[in-house]
Amino acid sequence: MDAVRIDGENLTPEMVHQVARNNVYVEIDESAVEKINKSRDFIEKILTGGKKYYGINTGFGDFESVRIPPE
């Protein structure tokens, strides 16, 4: 395996193993970059709003009422 191509759809345990244990090169497909940018835009919008989103701008479990500052 020369490279693992990340496309946001087909990542397998074998691919992770190849990268982690055999230093296989990782390539990111343009379709994955688009998905990453879309997700980032969504998260940034959440962080500038006042609404609480569990695990994004709050803690987890017992800390769900603890707000996490945007910075």
Side-chain angles (χ1 to χ4, degrees):
M1 183 178 292
D2 294 332
V4 168
R5 187 157 194 86
I6 304 294
D7 64 4
E9 301 291 331
N10 299 304
L11 186 63
T12 66
E14 174 62 21
M15 293 163 77
V16 173
H17 176 81
Q18 290 296 324
V19 172
R21 298 292 184 191
N22 299 326
N23 296 317
V24 170
Y25 184 74
V26 175
E27 298 173 346
I28 300 178
D29 192 84
E30 185 60 35
S31 65
V33 172
E34 291 171 14
K35 292 173 188 175
I36 291 166
N37 289 334
K38 186 176 178 181
S39 295
R40 181 185 174 121
D41 290 345
F42 176 73
I43 296 299
E44 287 182 354
K45 191 178 293 184
I46 285 173
L47 293 176
T48 59
K51 191 172 178 182
K52 289 180 9 180
Y53 285 85
Y54 178 79
I56 295 175
N57 59 3
T58 72
F60 294 97
D62 291 340
F63 299 101
E64 70 179 303
S65 62
V66 177
R67 289 295 290 260
I68 299 171
E71 59 280 345

